[in-house]
């Protein structure tokens, strides 16, 4: 790590309408360093990154690159200066090949301006080999897994001679093995002098990859510390501005009668079969398992997005037929999907429309939609769930991840469900928002809602579940009581032991 900062930001301010996204944010990055940037959703991390990448300009303060003040900036200028951002959702063109995606914006042409296809493929392979990515340059991007797409993004950044790489929630959708490979790539980039800004809500992984950590809160830089001298508890306290006694506010709730039951339930097309499970009123049943075990497929089939072809669903002891989400909603079943950006919200719709989207029948009459009632409901739920927004008419896309998740959850709470299926409810949100979502789950359980919670985070499974159903190869292999569930036992069952 060099003495002079590669990148430095001093007292940055930025406002969007009435929202002060950054008030006094400072940050510095050295060559050969991995510097973590953490904070709650809405703390200003994304805005600061957008300033570095040239997507927006700051209102005040200064940014320095190699000691020289940056007076003008844009995405093109930022890229030419060697700054690249690797987002949680890679921005590849799905119908183009890997080689074509890597060449985008930096293509080399042969004589008379024609594309040298062989040189393009060779260039892509060289870059992929540098990061040990075993990916065929001729593969179409749509055929790649999420980890492979991220590696292509990194290769593209190296192809543009990036020396500052910004990773925004890179491990949110990765397995443990894929995360280990990504960390190996990051360490290799660091050893060759690149400066890495690493943003993550998974605080437990920072000790493995970061040299230093800077905490933002409410648009201000709170503190920068050596990662080796910082504990997870310290980071949480700095992020939320108070002691957070527990991220999992589980309270003892009186468990009632069975509300929801699956008997020998399955869907061959979704790869699930022979599922037997019961969820009682006030109970939170966690669903654990490895990627590919069938957890999300099970949730989709229950909700009518896949067509079951065996077994049955019982609600309060009576068999019901669900072949469409509308039927699930009518039976009091709600489903918060895993990918909130793609399936949980409509980004360009206002908050009010998103919250009431599953309840339009209640708001409609022969004269049309009752917008007054829509505003009343939206205002009530944004207040109750603490959605941070200047107005209920703001597009959901302007909200932080945690607030988007609250809006997506509000939509289903408006329907007053008796069964709530949550697929990765805290994925990609900060520790404060995570605690709020968990508190809300506990409150719903206290009101008798039967909750089925799918999660890849074992601390969340262990912290919030009354029982844990472990899936393997498309079925529930075993159900553990809370007192018997441990990480080792869950992993052993998930691996088929």
């Amino acid at each position: 790590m060099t003495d002079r900062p590669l990148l430095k930001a001093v007292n940055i301010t930025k406002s969007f309408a009435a929202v002060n996204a950054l008030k006094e944010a400072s940050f510095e990055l050295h060559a050969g360093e991995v510097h973590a940037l953490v904070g709650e959703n809405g703390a200003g991390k994304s805005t600061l990154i957008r300033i570095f990448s040239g997507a927006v300009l700051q209102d005040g303060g200064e940014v320095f690159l190699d000691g020289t003040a940056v007076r003008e900036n844009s995405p093109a200028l930022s890229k030419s200066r060697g700054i690249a951002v690797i987002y949680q959702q890679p921005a590849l063109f799905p119908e183009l090949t890997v080689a074509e995606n890597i060449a985008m914006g930096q293509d080399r042409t042969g004589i008379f301006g024609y594309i040298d296809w062989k040189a393009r493929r060779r260039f892509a392979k060289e870059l992929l080999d540098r990061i040990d990515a075993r990916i065929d340059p001729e593969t179409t991007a749509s055929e790649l897994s999420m980890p492979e797409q991220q590696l292509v993004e990194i290769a593209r950044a190296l192809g543009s001679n990036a020396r500052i790489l910004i990773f925004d929630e890179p491990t949110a959708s990765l397995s443990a093995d894929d995360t280990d490979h990504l960390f190996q790539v990051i360490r290799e980039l660091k050893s060759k002098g690149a400066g890495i800004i690493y943003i993550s809500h998974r605080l437990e992984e920072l000790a493995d990859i970061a040299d230093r950590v800077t905490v933002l809160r409410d648009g201000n830089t709170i503190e920068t510390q050596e990662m080796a001298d910082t504990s997870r508890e310290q980071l949480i306290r700095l992020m939320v501005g108070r002691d957070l006694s527990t991220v999992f506010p589980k309270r003892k709730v009186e468990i009632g009668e069975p509300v929801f039951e699956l008997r020998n339930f399955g869907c061959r097309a979704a790869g699930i079969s022979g599922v037997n499970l019961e969820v009682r009123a006030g109970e939170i049943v966690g669903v654990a398992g490895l990627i590919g075990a069938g957890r999300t497929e099970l949730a989709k089939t229950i909700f009518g997005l896949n067509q079951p072809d065996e077994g049955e669903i019982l609600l309060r002891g009576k068999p019901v037929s669900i072949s469409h989400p509308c039927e699930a909603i009518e039976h009091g079943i709600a489903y918060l999907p895993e990918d909130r950006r793609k399936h949980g919200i409509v980004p360009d719709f206002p908050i009010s429309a998103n919250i009431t989207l599953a309840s339009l029948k209640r708001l409609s009459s022969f004269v049309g939609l009752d917008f007054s009632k829509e505003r009343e409901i939206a205002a009530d739920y944004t207040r109750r769930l603490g959605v941070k927004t200047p107005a209920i008419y703001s597009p959901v896309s302007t909200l932080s991840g945690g607030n988007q998740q609250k809006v997506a959850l509000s939509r289903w709470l408006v329907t007053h469900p008796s069964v709530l299926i949550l697929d990765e409810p805290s994925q990609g949100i900060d520790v404060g928002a995570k605690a709020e979502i968990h508190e809300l789950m506990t409150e719903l359980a206290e009101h008798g809602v039967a909750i089925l919670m799918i999660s890849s985070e074992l601390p969340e499974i262990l912290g919030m579940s009354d029982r844990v159903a472990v899936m393997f190869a498309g079925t529930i292999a075993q159900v553990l009581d809370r007192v018997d569930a441990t990480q080792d036992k869950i992993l052993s069952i998930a691996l088929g032991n």
Side-chain angles (χ1 to χ4, degrees):
M1 191 169 73
T2 58
D3 292 333
R4 188 178 71 176
L6 184 60
L7 176 69
K8 186 175 182 178
V10 181
N11 298 332
I12 302 297
T13 62
K14 180 65 182 178
S15 297
F16 298 96
V19 178
N20 295 320
L22 292 174
K23 299 172 184 175
E24 196 170 313
S26 298
F27 183 87
E28 66 176 39
L29 175 71
H30 292 263
E33 174 190 32
V34 178
H35 194 147
L37 181 63
V38 301
E40 293 189 88
N41 285 316
K45 305 185 301 294
S46 296
T47 302
L48 187 59
I49 294 313
R50 292 172 69 194
I51 289 171
F52 290 157
S53 66
V56 298
L57 299 176
Q58 71 267 29
D59 297 332
E62 289 191 283
V63 175
F64 297 88
L65 192 63
D66 288 324
T68 302
V70 177
R71 301 301 181 195
E72 296 182 15
N73 206 4
S74 68
L77 284 172
S78 177
K79 181 180 176 182
S80 69
R81 293 167 180 150
I83 299 175
V85 184
I86 314 298
Y87 290 104
Q88 178 182 343
Q89 300 292 331
L92 300 181
F93 292 92
E95 303 306 320
L96 299 184
T97 66
V98 168
E100 289 168 333
N101 271 284
I102 289 175
M104 192 64 62
Q106 56 194 21
D107 215 346
R108 303 169 182 187
T109 56
I111 192 167
F112 305 122
Y114 291 114
I115 294 174
D116 187 338
W117 294 97
K118 287 185 178 179
R120 172 187 274 185
R121 287 191 289 269
R122 187 167 57 249
F123 180 58
K125 189 174 188 313
E126 289 171 359
L127 294 172
L128 292 167
D129 286 345
R130 283 173 60 183
I131 56 175
D132 194 28
R134 296 176 177 83
I135 301 171
D136 184 351
E138 289 301 292
T139 303
T140 304
S142 60
E143 300 174 23
L144 301 178
S145 66
M146 181 66 70
E148 289 173 331
Q149 290 182 49
Q150 287 187 337
L151 292 174
V152 172
E153 286 270 33
I154 295 170
R156 181 162 63 181
L158 296 179
S160 62
N161 298 315
R163 54 203 183 106
I164 297 173
L165 288 93
I166 303 170
F167 288 84
D168 188 5
E169 296 290 347
T171 64
S173 303
L174 302 190
S175 67
D177 288 343
D178 291 326
T179 297
D180 288 342
H181 185 206
L182 176 65
F183 283 2
Q184 290 173 13
V185 172
I186 290 176
R187 292 186 188 105
E188 181 67 20
L189 295 171
K190 168 187 166 181
S191 70
K192 294 179 178 177
I196 311 290
I197 301 175
Y198 189 89
I199 300 172
S200 179
H201 290 310
R202 293 183 172 180
L203 303 183
E204 62 276 4
E205 71 187 16
L206 298 186
D208 294 332
I209 195 64
D211 300 299
R212 290 192 295 162
V213 58
T214 290
V215 179
L216 292 183
R217 186 173 75 231
D218 297 329
N220 297 292
T221 295
I222 301 302
E223 196 165 334
T224 297
Q225 296 183 347
E226 295 293 324
M227 196 62 230
D229 302 328
T230 307
S231 68
R232 183 175 183 272
E233 290 70 26
Q234 287 175 300
L235 286 178
I236 292 174
R237 188 161 55 249
L238 290 169
M239 287 168 60
V240 302
R242 64 189 186 278
D243 282 321
L244 197 60
S245 58
T246 176
V247 179
F248 308 110
K250 181 69 175 167
R251 294 189 291 273
K252 188 174 179 60
V253 174
E254 184 177 343
I255 306 300
E257 295 297 315
V259 173
F260 172 79
E261 186 177 355
L262 300 176
R263 290 183 181 173
N264 199 34
F265 186 73
C267 170
R268 284 190 296 271
I272 58 172
S273 63
V275 175
N276 292 284
L277 183 66
E278 179 183 88
V279 188
R280 296 171 175 265
E283 185 180 34
I284 300 176
V285 174
V287 182
L290 303 179
I291 292 174
R295 296 168 301 165
T296 294
E297 290 74 16
L298 175 61
K300 287 181 175 180
T301 306
I302 293 170
F303 196 61
L305 291 167
N306 298 323
Q307 300 304 308
D309 49 29
E310 67 177 34
E312 59 182 350
I313 299 176
L314 284 77
L315 290 175
R316 293 185 173 83
K318 297 181 180 180
V320 296
S321 175
I322 297 175
S323 58
H324 191 276
C326 288
E327 294 174 352
I329 294 170
E330 288 174 1
H331 285 298
I333 300 175
Y335 170 49
L336 185 69
E338 175 184 20
D339 190 336
R340 73 170 165 267
R341 290 183 181 274
K342 188 179 291 185
H343 302 126
I345 59 170
V346 184
D348 295 332
F349 275 25
I351 294 167
S352 55
N354 268 276
I355 288 176
T356 57
L357 200 56
S359 308
L360 294 180
K361 187 179 291 187
R362 277 177 53 194
L363 301 176
S364 301
S365 66
F366 69 93
V367 295
L369 196 65
D370 187 341
F371 290 103
S372 175
K373 186 66 174 176
E374 179 184 76
R375 290 192 296 270
E376 181 184 328
I377 291 173
D380 180 36
Y381 276 86
T382 53
R383 177 185 55 78
R384 286 165 60 180
L385 272 70
V387 178
K388 295 178 182 176
T389 177
I392 59 173
Y393 307 111
S394 301
V396 173
S397 59
T398 63
L399 301 180
S400 66
N403 285 303
Q404 288 180 6
Q405 189 75 321
K406 290 177 184 178
V407 170
L409 185 55
S410 294
R411 176 190 302 169
W412 297 112
L413 298 186
V414 173
T415 68
H416 303 295
S418 57
V419 179
L420 178 60
I421 305 171
L422 302 173
D423 195 349
E424 304 289 358
S426 63
Q427 180 174 280
I429 64 176
D430 65 76
V431 67
K434 186 177 294 189
E436 291 174 356
I437 294 292
H438 291 157
E439 174 64 30
L440 182 60
M441 288 169 58
T442 300
E443 291 177 7
L444 291 170
E446 289 173 335
H447 284 86
V449 178
I451 299 176
L452 195 63
M453 180 190 69
I454 299 168
S455 179
S456 298
E457 296 187 20
L458 287 182
E460 182 172 52
I461 288 285
L462 294 169
M464 292 303 299
S465 304
D466 295 295
R467 290 185 297 137
V468 179
V470 186
M471 291 197 70
F472 173 75
T475 194
I476 291 178
Q478 192 170 340
V479 179
L480 302 171
D481 287 330
R482 179 180 177 86
V483 294
D484 298 325
T486 64
Q487 290 202 25
D488 290 344
K489 190 175 290 186
I490 291 172
L491 282 173
S492 178
I493 299 167
L495 289 167
N497 298 324

